[in-house]
């Protein structure tokens, strides 16, 4: 399923949809279009293009003057969001996360004994966990309130902070072998993991981490210490588990 890099994969999906009649799509692609669009005729021509802005939609699809955004992922270590730590802290404050919990998150993020990243001794995530798992557990307690998780999903995956179009679906895979996940399903999948045990910091099934701890003080990556990164590991496995549980619950 995962032979091309992410950038080329996005263009491959553009090629899959662009300038095609709806009626000529393969069954999976037709299912996607039928699910997210209301259209007058399956003779309508699809326009699809790469979104060159840093927004949640990687590609945009237009049919009969209606435009929908699509996010595209692949592999097992998907990064779904990154932002400056100061913006994330403002978001936490706006979400009523207690100040002492925010400070504990900052200590985890920098892992240098400070809440501003100016400490001289930096340690690895694994070393930090050895002596501070109780603090990580406390952060996870507040980060896994269901309302907060939903707010995070919108910010990290569906709407973002500057997107012209929220995503109408998330595609996982490549044009010849893919699944698509709707926003409601994304929300349910992530929220279901709110009580999972983790030695790291998580928001449902999303892992929260520094973009780079820069333990070797490499100037090239120093700026990444001041960014958070949201990872969705094993996205496909989460989806399979979610679909299986849906069948069992029926």
């Amino acid at each position: 399923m995962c032979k091309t890099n992410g950038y080329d994969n996005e263009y491959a999906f553009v090629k899959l949809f662009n300038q095609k009649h709806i009626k000529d799509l393969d069954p999976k692609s037709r299912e996607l279009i039928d699910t997210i669009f209301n259209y007058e005729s399956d003779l309508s021509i699809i326009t699809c293009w790469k979104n060159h802005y840093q927004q949640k939609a990687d590609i945009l699809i237009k049919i009969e003057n209606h435009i929908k955004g699509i996010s595209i992922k692949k592999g097992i270590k998907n990064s779904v969001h990154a932002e400056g730590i100061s913006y994330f802290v403002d978001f936490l404050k706006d979400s009523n996360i207690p100040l002492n919990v925010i400070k504990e998150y900052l200590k985890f993020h920098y892992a240098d004994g400070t809440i501003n990243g100016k400490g001289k001794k930096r340690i690895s995530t694994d070393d930090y966990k050895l002596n501070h798992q109780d603090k990580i557990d406390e952060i996870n307690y507040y980060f896994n309130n269901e309302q907060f998780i939903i707010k995070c999903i919108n910010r990290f995956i569906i709407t973002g902070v500057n997107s012209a179009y929220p995503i109408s679906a998330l595609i996982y895979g490549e044009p010849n072998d893919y699944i698509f996940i709707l926003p409601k399903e994304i929300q349910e999948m992530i929220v279901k993991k709110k009580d999972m045990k983790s030695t790291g910091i998580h928001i449902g099934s999303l892992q929260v981490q520094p973009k780079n701890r820069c333990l070797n003080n490499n100037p090239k990556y120093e700026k990444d210490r001041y960014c958070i990164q949201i990872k969705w590991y094993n996205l496909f496995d989460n989806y399979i588990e979610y679909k299986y549980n849906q069948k069992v619950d029926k």
Side-chain angles (χ1 to χ4, degrees):
M1 179 180 284
C2 301
K3 297 178 181 178
T4 61
N5 64 43
Y7 193 76
D8 290 340
N9 196 40
E10 291 164 9
Y11 275 104
F13 274 102
V14 170
K15 186 176 179 181
L16 175 67
F17 289 105
N18 193 38
Q19 297 303 303
K20 301 283 180 63
H21 291 283
I22 296 172
K23 69 179 184 66
D24 294 330
L25 294 172
D26 65 86
K28 174 60 70 175
S29 301
R30 176 67 184 262
E31 181 188 359
L32 169 60
I33 294 301
D34 286 349
T35 301
I36 67 174
F37 277 97
N38 291 316
Y39 56 83
E40 296 294 328
S41 170
D42 65 0
L43 294 174
S44 297
I45 294 178
I46 303 166
T47 305
C48 182
W49 65 98
K50 175 78 176 74
N51 185 3
H52 293 287
Y53 294 99
Q54 292 293 318
Q55 299 175 347
K56 293 307 170 186
D58 296 304
I59 64 172
L60 296 162
I61 299 176
K62 182 179 180 181
I63 299 175
E64 298 173 356
N65 296 317
H66 300 290
I67 298 175
K68 304 286 186 178
I70 306 291
S71 175
I72 300 175
K73 303 297 180 187
K74 57 180 291 184
I76 61 172
K77 296 181 179 180
N78 287 281
S79 177
V80 296
H81 184 75
E83 65 179 52
I85 183 66
S86 61
Y87 294 106
F88 185 58
V89 167
D90 288 342
F91 172 66
L92 296 178
K93 290 178 179 177
D94 290 343
S95 302
N96 297 316
I97 300 297
L99 185 58
N100 67 299
V101 175
I102 295 174
K103 288 181 177 178
E104 290 301 333
Y105 174 76
L106 289 169
K107 290 177 184 177
F108 163 83
H109 180 90
Y110 292 118
D112 65 0
T114 75
I115 61 171
N116 61 11
K118 303 301 181 183
K120 294 182 178 179
K121 184 179 179 181
R122 303 173 184 179
I123 62 175
S124 69
T125 300
D126 288 341
D127 287 342
Y128 190 87
K129 290 175 182 179
L130 285 175
N131 297 310
H132 302 285
Q133 188 60 51
D134 59 329
K135 299 300 183 183
I136 290 172
D137 292 342
E138 181 183 14
I139 296 166
N140 282 334
Y141 173 80
Y142 284 96
F143 277 18
N144 285 277
N145 170 280
E146 186 167 333
Q147 286 186 321
F148 179 66
I149 296 174
I150 292 170
K151 192 173 180 180
C152 288
I153 293 167
N154 287 326
R155 183 180 182 89
F156 300 156
I157 300 174
I158 296 172
T159 305
V161 296
N162 66 341
S163 294
Y165 301 93
I167 68 163
S168 295
L170 184 154
I171 283 176
Y172 178 89
E174 297 181 356
N176 63 346
D177 183 12
Y178 73 90
I179 59 171
F180 65 87
I181 312 171
L182 302 176
K184 181 176 182 293
E185 295 174 317
I186 292 170
Q187 179 176 305
E188 291 174 352
M189 287 169 61
I190 293 173
V191 168
K192 280 184 180 295
K193 295 293 185 179
K194 66 185 180 69
D195 296 321
M196 75 175 188
K197 296 296 182 182
S198 176
T199 59
I201 293 176
H202 71 100
I203 298 169
S205 49
L206 305 176
Q207 296 292 322
V208 188
Q209 60 193 57
K211 193 171 182 180
N212 194 316
R213 287 203 179 277
C214 197
L215 298 179
N216 60 0
N217 298 89
N218 186 335
K220 182 179 178 180
Y221 299 107
E222 188 69 17
K223 66 181 185 303
D224 290 339
R225 294 189 69 239
Y226 299 92
C227 293
I228 64 121
Q229 188 171 45
I230 308 297
K231 292 266 195 172
W232 192 351
Y233 294 104
N234 302 315
L235 190 165
F236 182 73
D237 291 341
N238 272 192
Y239 176 77
I240 296 301
E241 179 185 5
Y242 167 75
K243 284 298 187 182
Y244 173 79
N245 289 335
Q246 276 190 321
K247 291 180 181 179
V248 170
D249 292 339
K250 285 184 178 179

